[in-house]
């Protein structure tokens, strides 16, 4: 195991992962992991399931998603960089939440430098529900950078769990270390109305949500270890011939640099966080009642969260608003491959929702 900062498959200046690299033999199968989670014997953040390379058919879906939505992601990344520059003076310390936030962090860091004329450094750290942000990593960051320069970045919000976890754990860190770090989360799409700042509240297909390690610097999902150690990950070096990480952030950055920071290409409408939060609560309550879900953690709203369920959990159902939408094509493909029932629900406020199979479902 090694705890030295590393850049994964990104360029050295793009990001420093503050993660402990773990041996791959610590994997737990998806079925075993689900059983351990739902029995309460282990927390989800304490286990990793092995990843496999995407099929050619699935890769084509990723390429299609890039063709359709890369421009919107570029606009949102540029808008996010502009919002950060307006809210932070001096150099910016971008802290992305690994790993969904990592590609966004790479792109925003570049845009802060190249379009906003700001000095920026980017770290990617781990956070887990009920466990908080990696305090060891955060301590390393504040040893080298002003706490007030820190900006937390993720890809999207689902139910707002990570936004709330970030707020609670950063508040605890501030109390313990007498710092004043802003715990607000900056995201591309805020479905839950829980982010401090967002470029959008639309449930659109962020292309990087489709793939796992091969669009995230070859880094696995993170795991929580001992309290005095960095959270861990596996580095999938063997996947290097199939890696899209650099190619993807280069493409989004180039598309963003072609836009005007203050031009008509960027979103201007103020987002209604309260309305988004109310929509989220109503949707979750209806689905809990309609499908008999006792634990709200088994409901994953939005394309990004639904994708995670189908890639690394044991899904019970996939709900889609419009099965003909290109944004859910990868989800219906995954559901077909895994024999997961698909239900059309035109009343959904999101394009897709996944339900995780409960131990009580048999």
């Amino acid at each position: 195991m090694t705890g030295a900062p590393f850049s994964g498959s990104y360029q050295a200046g793009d990001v420093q992962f503050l993660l402990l690299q773990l041996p791959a033999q610590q994997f737990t199968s998806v079925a075993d992991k689900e059983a351990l989670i739902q029995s309460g014997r282990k927390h989800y953040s304490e286990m990793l399931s092995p990843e496999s390379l995407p099929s050619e058919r699935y890769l084509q879906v990723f390429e299609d998603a890039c063709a359709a939505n890369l421009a919107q992601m570029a606009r949102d990344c540029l808008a996010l960089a502009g919002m950060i520059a307006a809210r932070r003076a001096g150099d910016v310390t971008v802290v992305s939440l690994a790993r969904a936030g990592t590609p966004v962090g790479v792109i925003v860091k570049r845009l802060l430098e190249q379009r906003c004329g700001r000095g920026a450094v980017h770290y990617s750290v781990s956070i887990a529900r009920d466990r908080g942000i990696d305090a060891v990593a955060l301590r390393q960051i504040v040893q080298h950078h002003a706490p007030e320069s820190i900006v937390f970045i993720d890809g999207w919000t689902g139910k707002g769990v990570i936004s709330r976890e970030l707020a609670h754990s950063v508040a605890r860190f501030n109390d313990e270390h007498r710092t004043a770090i802003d715990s607000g989360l900056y995201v591309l799409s805020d479905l839950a109305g829980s982010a401090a700042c967002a470029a959008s509240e639309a449930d659109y297909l962020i292309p990087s949500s489709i793939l796992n390690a091969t669009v995230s610097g070859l880094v696995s999902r993170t795991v929580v270890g001992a309290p005095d150690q960095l959270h861990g990950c596996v580095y999938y070096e063997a996947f290097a011939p199939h890696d899209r990480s650099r190619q993807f952030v280069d493409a989004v950055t180039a598309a963003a640099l072609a836009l005007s920071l203050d031009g008509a290409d960027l979103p201007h409408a103020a987002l209604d966080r309260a309305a988004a939060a109310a929509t989220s609560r109503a949707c979750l309550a209806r689905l809990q009642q309609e499908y008999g879900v006792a634990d709200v953690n088994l409901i994953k709203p939005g394309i990004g969260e639904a994708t995670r369920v189908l890639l690394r959990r044991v899904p019970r159902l996939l709900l889609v608003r419009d099965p003909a939408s290109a944004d859910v094509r990868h989800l219906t493909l995954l559901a077909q491959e895994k024999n997961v029932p698909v239900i059309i629900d035109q009343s959904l406020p999101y394009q897709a929702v996944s339900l995780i199979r409960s131990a009580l479902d048999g």
Side-chain angles (χ1 to χ4, degrees):
M1 295 190 295
T2 175
F6 66 104
S7 298
S9 62
Y10 293 110
Q11 297 179 39
D14 277 337
V15 62
Q16 293 182 61
F17 287 99
L18 296 183
L19 294 166
L20 189 68
Q21 293 187 58
L22 305 173
Q25 59 262 33
Q26 294 192 3
F27 287 136
T28 304
S29 73
V30 172
D32 288 346
K33 181 178 73 173
E34 199 66 57
L36 289 166
I37 292 171
Q38 296 201 29
S39 67
R41 285 176 286 169
K42 277 199 170 184
H43 191 263
Y44 82 92
S45 67
E46 299 171 335
M47 299 171 287
L48 275 179
S49 296
E51 292 184 20
S52 56
L53 289 169
S55 66
E56 287 301 318
R57 185 181 176 194
Y58 193 71
L59 270 178
Q60 186 56 55
V61 174
F62 170 72
E63 297 296 346
D64 292 344
C66 287
N69 289 349
L70 187 141
Q72 180 169 356
M73 183 176 178
R75 287 194 298 272
D76 287 351
C77 284
L78 186 59
L80 212 55
M83 293 173 193
I84 291 168
R87 288 162 173 78
R88 290 292 187 276
D91 294 347
V92 180
T93 305
V94 174
V95 179
S96 66
L97 305 183
R99 62 186 170 173
T102 307
V104 182
V106 170
I107 297 160
V108 169
K109 184 259 186 187
R110 291 179 175 184
L111 295 175
L112 283 167
E113 293 174 328
Q114 298 178 43
R115 290 302 305 274
C116 303
R118 305 292 281 277
V121 63
H122 174 209
Y123 298 95
S124 202
V125 307
S126 171
I127 189 171
R129 188 189 76 233
D130 305 324
R131 298 295 187 268
I133 197 164
D134 186 344
V136 176
L138 205 50
R139 282 198 297 270
Q140 291 187 20
I141 293 171
V142 298
Q143 286 172 2
H144 299 96
H145 305 280
E148 59 270 19
S149 71
I150 291 175
V151 175
F152 293 105
I153 285 184
D154 206 355
W156 59 85
T157 66
K159 297 191 296 289
V161 172
I162 292 301
S163 304
R164 292 187 287 273
E165 190 67 55
L166 182 66
H168 294 153
S169 56
V170 170
R172 186 166 58 248
F173 184 94
N174 282 336
D175 287 342
E176 293 174 358
H177 297 86
R178 298 185 178 182
T179 51
I181 299 170
D182 181 354
S183 64
L185 185 61
Y186 289 65
V187 298
L188 299 181
S189 178
D190 183 19
L191 304 188
S194 62
C197 205
S200 169
E201 57 189 19
D203 184 23
Y204 74 95
L205 177 54
I206 297 169
S208 53
S209 71
I210 288 184
L211 299 181
N212 280 326
T214 51
V215 78
S216 305
L218 298 182
V219 168
S220 75
R221 188 183 63 75
T222 63
V223 289
V224 176
D228 60 344
Q229 287 187 331
L230 290 166
H231 293 190
C233 71
V234 168
Y235 180 59
Y236 283 98
E237 189 172 7
F239 289 0
H242 308 275
D243 188 30
R244 305 293 185 93
S245 302
R246 287 198 191 187
Q247 175 186 340
F248 180 73
V249 295
D250 287 349
V252 179
T253 302
L257 289 174
L259 299 171
S260 168
L261 186 60
D262 300 312
D265 288 322
L266 298 182
H268 294 288
L271 304 182
D272 190 337
R273 292 175 59 192
T279 296
S280 174
R281 289 192 298 270
C283 177
L284 292 172
R286 177 176 76 83
L287 294 178
Q288 277 195 276
Q289 181 177 24
E290 191 168 331
Y291 292 97
V293 181
D295 183 356
V296 73
N297 289 320
L298 300 180
I299 302 176
K300 302 295 184 179
I303 293 172
E305 294 302 300
T307 301
R308 287 177 166 182
V309 171
L310 287 162
L311 286 174
R312 64 189 195 214
R313 298 294 295 270
V314 178
R316 169 187 169 190
L317 291 173
L318 171 65
L319 311 177
V320 296
R321 188 169 62 199
D322 177 9
S325 169
D327 278 2
V328 301
R329 188 177 303 147
H330 70 294
L331 292 172
T332 55
L333 173 59
L334 285 170
Q336 178 186 357
E337 291 176 348
K338 299 188 176 189
N339 296 314
V340 176
V342 178
I343 294 177
I344 300 170
D345 184 346
Q346 295 179 342
S347 66
L348 285 176
Y350 312 116
Q351 292 215 54
V353 176
S354 282
L355 304 187
I356 297 173
R357 181 174 295 280
S358 166
L360 301 176
D361 295 329

